[in-house]
Every structure is written in C-alpha cells, then in structure tokens.
Amino acid sequence: MKTWTCDVLVIGSGAGGIAAALRAAHDGSSVIVAEKDRYLGGTTAISGGWLWVPGNEQGVREGDTREEAETYIRHLAGDSYDATAVGAFLDTVPEAMRFFTDEAGIGFHYPEKAPDYRMDAPGAKVSGRAVTVGATDARILGEDRLRMQPYLQSYTVFGYMPEVGPDIARFLKANRDPAAFRHAARKITATWVQTLLYRRAHLRTNGNALMTRMVAAAREAGIRMWTSTTAQEILRGPDGVVTGVRLSGAHAGEVRARLGVVIASGGFSGNAELRRRYFAHDPHGEDHTTPTLGHDGDAVRLAGPVGGHVDDRPHQPASWGPVTVFRGLRGQKRWFPHLRAFGLPGLIAVDRDGERFANESSSYHDFGVEMIRNDADREGTFGWIVADDTAMRRYGIGWAKPWPFPQALFRRAGYLHSAPTVAGLAGRIGVPAEALQRTLDEFNAGAARGEDPRFGRGSNWFHHFKGDMDHRPNPNLAPIETGPFHAVRIEMGDLGTYAGLAVGPRNEVLDEDAQPVPGLYAVGTSAVSVFGGGYPGYGANIGPAMVFGYRVGRDLGACAGERANRSQPPAAAVPDGSEDLAVRGRR
C-alpha cells in the first residue's frame, strides 16, 4: 500500500477545505487536499459565491457593530444560540478577510446593498455584511482550468452564468431593453466561442469565480489537490491521536498527517438514512431532493468510528431551499433551486389546496420553514409556483425562461404546466379550482395597490432586492390575471445541513463526552452551524466555512504542539551544577 506524508490532510475542496489548506500552507505546513469528485470546488463552485461576514471592512466603515451582529444572530437562532461559537466567528472575521485579501489575493466586492434576509429582526442591516467576488478569468488556474467544477447547468442562460447583482438584473430586462439585450448577447456569444475553442468559457462568475481564485491561490502555495480520491477511514495512533486517513480511488493508500486531518466534505442531505433521522419532513428518506454536490454524509461516516457524533441542536437541521426536479431534454435528471424567482411581480406560491401559505419574498430558507410547517401532517412536502402570462413572458419561472424562449420546450421537459384559464391550470396540477381562483382574487386586490395584507410581501429592502426594482408601485407585487396561466412544481431541498459534527471552540471534532478527538477537525457544513438554525443573509454557509476554515488552518500547529507538550513526561530533578540535556534541547 502506498503511503504519503504531509503536515495537514484536508478532506473536501470547497470553500471551507481550501480556506483551511491556504492558512496552514501560509505557515509553512505541507498540505494535501483529497476530493472524491472528479472536479475541485464542491458545492461552493455552483453557488452564488457570497460570504456573510459581519465585521468586514465595509460594515465597520458603515458603523455596523459587534453588538448589532450578535443581536441579529441571537434573534434568528433563538434557543439554539451558541455564544461561544458566535464569538469565535465574529472574532475571526476581520483577520480572516485580511488574509484572504492580502495573502491569498482574493479580491472581494463590497456591494452598495445586500440586505440581511430578516430585515424585520433587531440588528439587521441593509449592507455591510454580505460580500462576493467579481468575475474571474479561469486561465489563472493553468492546467487545472478544466478541473474546476462546472456550473449547475439549469442555472445558466445558454451556458453563461449571470453574476448575482447588476448583471443578472440586465439579463432580466434583455427581452424588453435593447441595451440589456446587447449585453446578454455579448456574454452568451463569448461563452459559446470560448467553449468551442477551449472546451469551457474562460469567464467564471459567482461561486465558480470564488473557487477559481481560491484554487489558484492553493496552486501557488504548492498545495497538492487530488481529485477522484475518497477518504475511507480515519487512522489513529495507540494514544488515540488522529494520524491520517486511508484513501481509495486515484490515490489509493494512506496519508500520514503530522498535525491533523480536517473534514470539509459537506453535509448529509444526500444521505437518505441520515435524513430519516434528522429531517422531520422526510421520515422515509424519499421526500427531499438536494442540489448540493457530494453531501452524502461522509463526515458522519468518517468521524463516527473515532467518537464523532451529530450535533442536532439547531432548530432547523438544514438551510432550506425549494427545488424543482425535472428531466432534461435528453432525459437526464436535473434540479433548479428557486432562490429568487418567485419574489418577482406576478408570481405566487400555493399548496395542494390552492392556497398561499407563506411570504414568497422571504428568504428561500424561511420560505422552506413555512413550506415544511404547512405540510407537516400531510403526505409529501410540495407546492406550486403560479404565474400569469405577463409574468411568464417577462421573467419566466426559474428554468423556464421568458419570451422569446419557446414555452413548449419547458413543457416538453415536464417542468412547466400551462392552461388557458385558472380552472384549466388547477385541473392540470391537481388543486381545487375554486380555491385557486379565490386565492388569486384575494392576492390581486392587494397587488393592484402594491400591498399584500396577508403576508406583507414587498414590505422591506430584502424583499425588494429579490424583486424587480423598476416595477411600480411595489417591486414584488403585480396582479395575476392574464391568461394563459402557468405553474411549476416545487419540492423541499437545501443548500447544506445545519446539523453536523459536534465541534469545540477550535473546531475540533467532539466525542459523546464533549471531549476533542485529538487531531481531527471539521468545518463548513460538515460541522454544526454557528447560526443555530437561522439563515442571516447572502452567504450564510460560505462565510462561516471560510472563516472557520481559516481559523483551523491557523491553529493546527498550536494544537499539535499543545498535545505534544501534554504527552511529555515530567522532567526529572536536576542535581546541582548539572544541566538537563532534554530541557536544553527544547530551548
């Protein structure tokens, strides 16, 4: 069996894992990253690429305070609030951001507005907490350019992934604004030409841009990044200290890691057995679909035999996000996570009874909480996004793109359901026609005035940010009254688990007695969330993953040194006039 030796082994190549690797390498450690997928970047690479990091330079400049951030997180976490973990996170944000900017060369973009998701909560801010990265030329990856995880194809427009922010806003107007059309046409044409010539477009956006920059920094730091390599077993020495990992796949063998092993392999939402145990809405393991990559419960599988266990204290076990599951035109299974679409004017969500059950302009996580609650005593968790033809032609519904795209394309894939009348649509999707018409009548009466008396949709900055800022009188509201009418089925999905391996203040994996498993760490969605089940804003998974990844990478050497000192036997008494050579050798 082949054996490799390094200082630090990281399992997983998403934001948390590469962050830990970068910081450890910065201190002179030799690092290996083992990724089971054929591509690098993990779920981060198909995400929006935001980081929620209060205490960053923009927030401080705008007057955001530590107390306000703590108040906001405490409100969202409720009884699940962990003051120690939150304190460690907020303590580390400024230092971590400086490192990623100054040492790793990751240029963050600080948007003028990126509202917290719960603007009704105390301590919420319109800006200063969520940051992202700009578009990046993937040629900085050199020979690793094609090893980066591709986009989630259902999220692209003819292969191009619009950047969250002004870019995607211009794409939304491309079918009615000549300047926006020319902008979209340039982006799409460049994508096609570069894909034809170089197999993949050079321009990377959103989470793909973030991971392109992080992997480029890891290459420059000399970090070995192995793909198609699966961690099978955590290895320990006679003293119980983790010494390495047994691997299979492209680099089958054993890696001996002198300072420790970092698990950053994702959560467990792709594991039916663990969902049955921790997801109340999925007691049979068949009522949940995740668009995440590789979140198969590897962290739990690896840490369990050495004492690790799942901390399920967060009041929500995952960061929820409604998803549509459908078959592509070639029959392949595909997913579309609805993270923004139905906060737009002219779209609502209804349940199987044809009734609204939540504020469609709330965050995908909070909407998911209400969706689960609404279907708690019923078979299956699902609903429908409903739109009229005005909204469909202007905005589309998720993967079903607006005019001039032919609607028949999306109906043929089984994604979009349409009918000339409300009653006809109700029949197609199996909801009571009278109830659906009554719901639309009630909604339309308020929407015409720019109001939503039932749920308060369109009442704060975050709602507006999800809508169409050019639409009046309310960016989130318009009557649904022009046939034909359209619907898309939504099911329960997630962006990663919040329940995860129990960890201590240094992100050491804890056993059932709350004692650290020496030499073993967990970050990202492999570890329990710092936010206690709440979802504070853009980048609520990536921000903590990078901050705690940085923190682990920084502290690995110190932790190993402390273990070594504890294992040293007490020094023998030294006779007068002589010197203890062992003591002298440690000076």
Side-chain angles (χ1 to χ4, degrees):
M1 179 181 293
K2 190 164 185 179
T3 302
W4 295 269
T5 300
C6 63
D7 294 317
V8 179
L9 175 69
V10 177
I11 303 169
S13 66
I18 299 297
L22 285 171
R23 186 58 177 86
H26 176 75
D27 290 341
S29 295
S30 60
V31 183
I32 294 174
V33 174
E35 168 60 60
K36 70 179 180 181
D37 200 289
R38 61 183 289 201
Y39 297 113
L40 297 167
T43 298
T44 309
I46 64 169
S47 73
W50 291 73
L51 291 73
W52 197 78
V53 280
N56 66 69
E57 63 179 37
Q58 179 196 28
V60 171
R61 189 168 58 248
E62 293 180 357
D64 190 13
T65 66
R66 169 73 171 261
E67 291 72 26
E68 288 174 306
E70 287 177 341
T71 296
Y72 180 63
I73 297 170
R74 186 184 297 110
H75 180 86
L76 271 58
D79 293 340
S80 305
Y81 184 70
D82 185 335
T84 301
V86 171
F89 171 63
L90 295 177
D91 283 347
T92 312
V93 165
E95 178 185 338
M97 293 297 285
R98 282 194 298 271
F99 171 81
F100 292 126
T101 300
D102 299 341
E103 304 298 334
I106 299 170
F108 293 104
H109 172 61
Y110 296 84
E112 182 182 351
K113 287 186 176 65
D116 287 337
Y117 282 4
R118 289 286 304 277
M119 289 302 299
D120 59 327
K125 294 290 184 182
V126 172
S127 63
R129 292 175 176 171
V131 306
T132 186
V133 297
T136 300
D137 191 324
R139 285 175 290 187
I140 63 174
L141 289 176
E143 62 186 15
D144 283 334
R145 183 177 67 86
L146 297 178
R147 293 178 72 203
M148 179 58 61
Q149 184 70 238
Y151 295 128
L152 184 64
Q153 196 62 31
S154 60
Y155 247 43
T156 67
V157 181
F158 288 127
Y160 174 71
M161 178 68 77
E163 288 185 88
V164 177
D167 187 32
I168 198 170
R170 295 178 78 177
F171 264 75
L172 279 172
K173 300 176 185 176
N175 60 356
R176 58 190 191 277
D177 180 332
F181 176 82
R182 290 192 295 272
H183 169 83
R186 285 195 299 270
K187 297 286 190 179
I188 293 169
T189 300
T191 297
W192 287 357
V193 170
Q194 291 174 10
T195 301
L196 182 64
L197 294 175
Y198 308 111
R199 297 173 59 189
R200 196 182 295 181
H202 294 150
L203 190 69
R204 303 279 96 188
T205 61
N206 301 336
N208 219 274
L210 172 63
M211 290 313 304
T212 292
R213 295 185 186 203
M214 293 189 74
V215 170
R219 278 172 51 90
E220 188 173 340
I223 295 169
R224 286 173 283 179
M225 293 174 284
W226 296 345
T227 51
S228 301
T229 302
T230 302
Q232 295 290 352
E233 180 186 6
I234 301 294
L235 306 175
R236 290 199 291 180
D239 56 358
V241 175
V242 168
T243 58
V245 174
R246 183 171 60 82
L247 303 171
S248 64
H251 292 81
E254 292 184 359
V255 172
R256 300 291 174 173
R258 288 183 286 260
L259 299 182
V261 171
V262 182
I263 300 177
S265 56
F268 59 78
S269 53
N271 185 301
E273 179 183 346
L274 291 172
R275 290 201 311 269
R276 284 195 293 268
R277 193 180 309 172
Y278 296 107
F279 287 11
H281 71 278
D282 194 18
H284 308 298
E286 300 172 348
D287 191 25
H288 190 93
T289 300
T290 182
T292 59
L293 298 174
H295 288 223
D296 303 320
D298 290 350
V300 180
R301 172 180 60 81
L302 290 166
V306 298
H309 69 284
V310 173
D311 182 344
D312 62 351
R313 288 178 299 166
H315 59 77
Q316 299 297 323
S319 51
W320 306 122
V323 174
T324 296
V325 183
F326 62 104
R327 294 285 173 184
L329 298 179
R330 293 191 297 272
Q332 71 276 38
K333 188 175 182 180
R334 300 183 64 178
W335 300 263
F336 188 93
H338 292 274
L339 308 184
R340 180 178 188 266
F342 52 106
L344 291 162
L347 294 87
I348 62 169
V350 300
D351 62 11
R352 71 196 75 194
D353 297 324
E355 297 180 355
R356 292 177 71 206
F357 55 89
N359 183 335
E360 298 91 346
S361 290
S362 60
S363 74
Y364 34 86
H365 175 71
D366 292 328
F367 182 89
V369 171
E370 295 304 319
M371 189 170 165
I372 290 170
R373 182 178 294 126
N374 187 65
D375 283 341
D377 300 321
R378 305 197 273 197
E379 186 67 27
T381 306
F382 67 91
W384 299 90
I385 302 174
V386 175
D388 72 353
D389 205 50
T390 300
M392 180 66 212
R393 290 171 65 83
R394 175 166 290 190
Y395 308 114
I397 309 176
W399 182 65
K401 301 299 186 286
W403 180 88
F405 290 85
Q407 295 176 9
L409 177 77
F410 308 109
R411 285 195 288 269
R412 190 162 63 245
Y415 180 91
L416 184 68
H417 306 266
S418 305
T421 65
V422 172
L425 181 67
R428 287 186 182 275
I429 65 176
V431 306
E434 290 184 3
L436 181 58
Q437 186 63 65
R438 187 168 56 248
T439 295
L440 292 178
D441 290 343
E442 177 188 308
F443 176 79
N444 290 346
R449 304 188 304 269
E451 300 172 357
D452 176 20
R454 184 168 183 189
F455 291 112
R457 174 173 163 179
S459 59
N460 65 47
W461 261 110
F462 173 66
H463 296 176
H464 294 171
F465 206 65
K466 286 184 66 178
D468 179 351
M469 297 294 284
D470 293 331
H471 179 78
R472 298 291 183 270
N474 190 311
N476 303 103
L477 296 167
I480 301 170
E481 54 193 5
T482 306
F485 297 88
H486 311 274
V488 169
R489 181 183 166 104
I490 51 175
E491 303 174 14
M492 205 61 253
D494 70 282
L495 281 73
T497 43
Y498 271 175
L501 292 176
V503 294
R506 286 174 153 175
N507 275 69
E508 319 102 315
V509 172
L510 301 180
D511 63 20
E512 293 285 358
D513 297 320
Q515 296 302 306
V517 177
L520 186 63
Y521 306 82
V523 298
T525 51
S526 294
V528 64
S529 171
V530 67
F531 297 135
Y535 202 104
Y538 294 92
N541 285 327
I542 299 176
M546 289 183 62
V547 170
F548 283 117
Y550 166 87
R551 189 179 174 95
V552 166
R554 181 196 68 185
D555 294 343
L556 275 161
C559 291
E562 291 166 10
R563 288 195 301 273
N565 289 337
R566 286 195 297 269
S567 68
Q568 290 286 342
V574 179
D576 290 344
S578 65
E579 183 175 11
D580 182 355
L581 297 180
V583 172
R584 183 180 63 190
R586 289 199 299 271
R587 287 178 182 167

